[in-house]
Amino acid sequence: MNAAARKIQNVYLTLTLGNTLAASFIWGINTLFLLDAGLSNLEAFAANAFFTAGMVLFEVPTGVVADSWGRRASFLLGTVTLAASTYLYYLLWQLSAPFWWWAAVSALLGLGFTFFSGAVEAWLVDALHFSGYDGGLEAVLGRGQMVSGIAMLAGSVAGGVIAQATNLGVPFLLRVGVLVAMFAVAFLLMHDVGFTPERSAHPVQATRAVLRASLEGGLKNPPVRFMMLAAPFTEGVGFYVFYALQPYLLQLFGDPKAYAIAGLAAAIVAGADIVGGWLAPLVRKLVGRRTTVLIGSTIASSVVLVALLATHSFWLALVLLSLWAVVASAGTPVRQAYLNDMIASKQRATVLSFASLMGSSGGVVVQPVLGRTADLYGYPASLALGGAVQLLAAPFIVLSRRRRSPADVATGLAAP
């Protein structure tokens, strides 16, 4: 990695660190926060579903913003939107607001995150091309996931401990403060290089042109399309499991006020991100095809979730959930690299946003269904059902594999 590429990587890691730290202050206690506001399990996970519905609704428009106005502009808009909507969440908690207010603000939170999804990754890949980097994407994306895991570990544990020492609202205020700081950092350090936004005198026409080209490179590109169709099952279940870990582990632990244990739930995923990010490039060296890694990761993590149905031990559940998180995390950089190597630069942010949209759409349906299952039959049954749902992604990954895209066996950064 040359000096220019290393500088790009360092900016990417800095943005990842700050953004994940800000977001993760509430990840360990979010479900408890919603339940404390008077929502039922169904309403809490329905609020989360509105969050993912907001992501579905806004993913493509914000991806077009990134490709038309610039990835830096998209990132800055994301920090402002997410800070404002997080503060509104805090106010709803103070007011014990009715469910539909939570639904509306949750959708705004989804809008904030969609400004980031696709934009940062697209910025990184294009900037690395511009700098002359020709190594594998798994290495850089794996480092990003490790940094994200470290930030998430610190933020989620701190959020749980701070909530226990103060109240459940303080971590939300901390998130707002860090996001404001990240706006300043991105304004100074993040610049679009290796990419020229499609600005024109007719922004609507330019937007339509970017969207049409993105459909050509996304849904009309078979290996990419099948990966998008797999996403609702893997990401929808992933959303649910992440948020269900908090009340599930508290239930097994036997103390509903042990918020630090709820923070531990997010810390499990954070630690798994660190280990998974480290493992991804190593696994990739041993396995010739990226889809082999993805199929194996999907099946193995599904089996672990089903196994939770048979345990009532807090410590055994902790081990199984840690295993689930590591296996799932190891496949994430491989999936990102596989998709990026099949997407053209001009539409990269929009196509990545569309891929994220497909995953979020799964969360809209899966979270309320599994939340209702938890209400009726308990968390272990809902997690086991989640494992069965996730298995439905494997056939789509197999179909993508059968298209024999060069990206499946690529070991270096593909041409833009």
Side-chain angles (χ1 to χ4, degrees):
M1 182 175 287
N2 59 40
R6 191 171 300 281
K7 181 179 179 180
I8 295 298
Q9 177 187 252
N10 290 342
V11 173
Y12 166 68
L13 296 179
T14 300
L15 297 176
T16 300
L17 177 69
N19 250 29
T20 307
L21 180 65
S24 64
F25 279 127
I26 74 163
W27 283 347
I29 50 93
N30 183 68
T31 304
L32 303 176
F33 177 82
L34 295 174
L35 295 174
D36 187 67
L39 302 183
S40 67
N41 268 317
L42 174 61
E43 290 173 327
F45 286 105
N48 289 337
F50 272 92
F51 164 73
T52 51
M55 295 184 72
V56 170
L57 183 63
F58 298 116
E59 275 289 5
V60 171
T62 55
V64 172
V65 166
D67 281 334
S68 300
W69 295 4
R71 283 76 191 263
R72 178 174 180 261
S74 184
F75 187 93
L76 294 175
L77 283 169
T79 56
V80 172
T81 306
L82 191 55
S85 52
T86 298
Y87 186 68
L88 286 175
Y89 234 48
Y90 172 77
L91 292 180
L92 294 183
W93 172 73
Q94 283 197 317
L95 298 171
S96 297
F99 168 75
W100 289 109
W101 281 105
W102 290 99
V105 177
S106 294
L108 286 178
L109 282 169
L111 169 63
F113 276 102
T114 59
F115 279 113
F116 299 134
S117 64
V120 179
E121 197 173 308
W123 174 84
L124 169 69
V125 175
D126 289 332
L128 286 176
H129 278 300
F130 182 79
S131 68
Y133 176 72
D134 60 359
L137 271 178
E138 282 94 345
V140 180
L141 292 170
R143 291 184 193 112
Q145 185 169 297
M146 291 172 71
V147 167
S148 177
I150 293 168
M152 184 178 172
L153 182 62
S156 57
V157 172
V161 172
I162 290 168
Q164 188 164 334
T166 55
N167 60 62
L168 287 165
V170 172
F172 286 78
L173 296 179
L174 287 174
R175 176 196 262 193
V176 174
V178 175
L179 284 169
V180 170
M182 286 310 300
F183 178 92
V185 171
F187 187 83
L188 294 172
L189 299 180
M190 186 182 186
H191 303 284
D192 289 322
V193 292
F195 166 77
T196 303
E198 293 286 346
R199 296 189 178 96
S200 83
H202 304 285
V204 174
Q205 293 179 10
T207 297
R208 287 175 178 170
V210 170
L211 186 55
R212 275 197 305 270
S214 300
L215 289 173
E216 291 291 336
L219 284 178
K220 294 184 180 180
N221 184 353
V224 176
R225 178 174 68 245
F226 289 126
M227 290 304 300
M228 288 182 175
L229 292 174
F233 303 105
T234 55
E235 295 187 33
V237 171
F239 274 125
Y240 175 77
V241 174
F242 179 76
Y243 288 113
L245 287 184
Q246 302 159 26
Y248 173 54
L249 288 178
L250 279 180
Q251 187 180 81
L252 288 177
F253 190 71
D255 182 358
K257 296 294 184 182
Y259 297 144
I261 295 297
L264 178 62
I268 289 172
V269 179
D273 277 348
I274 299 170
V275 176
W278 174 73
L279 282 175
L282 300 178
V283 170
R284 187 65 184 88
K285 289 179 181 179
L286 298 174
V287 181
R289 301 180 69 172
R290 284 165 168 161
T291 50
T292 302
V293 178
L294 298 176
I295 293 167
S297 172
T298 300
I299 294 173
S301 58
S302 297
V303 169
V304 172
L305 289 178
V306 173
L308 286 169
L309 189 60
T311 180
H312 301 286
S313 163
F314 171 80
W315 295 107
L316 179 56
L318 205 61
V319 170
L320 288 173
L321 289 167
S322 298
L323 178 60
W324 166 80
V326 168
V327 172
S329 295
T332 300
V334 179
R335 179 182 180 275
Q336 291 172 293
Y338 182 43
L339 282 174
N340 270 286
D341 278 349
M342 294 188 289
I343 302 170
S345 172
K346 288 294 184 182
Q347 298 85 41
R348 193 182 305 279
T350 309
V351 175
L352 290 175
S353 289
F354 202 92
S356 182
L357 179 155
M358 295 293 287
S360 298
S361 67
V364 174
V365 177
V366 170
Q367 288 189 92
V369 169
L370 295 183
R372 184 58 177 162
T373 303
D375 278 333
L376 295 175
Y377 305 108
Y379 289 110
S382 69
L383 294 169
L385 178 59
V389 171
Q390 185 175 276
L391 273 176
L392 298 175
F396 291 104
I397 303 174
V398 171
L399 289 171
S400 180
R401 175 191 182 92
R402 288 181 177 174
R403 293 293 175 164
R404 298 191 176 276
S405 167
D408 199 7
V409 294
T411 55
L413 194 60

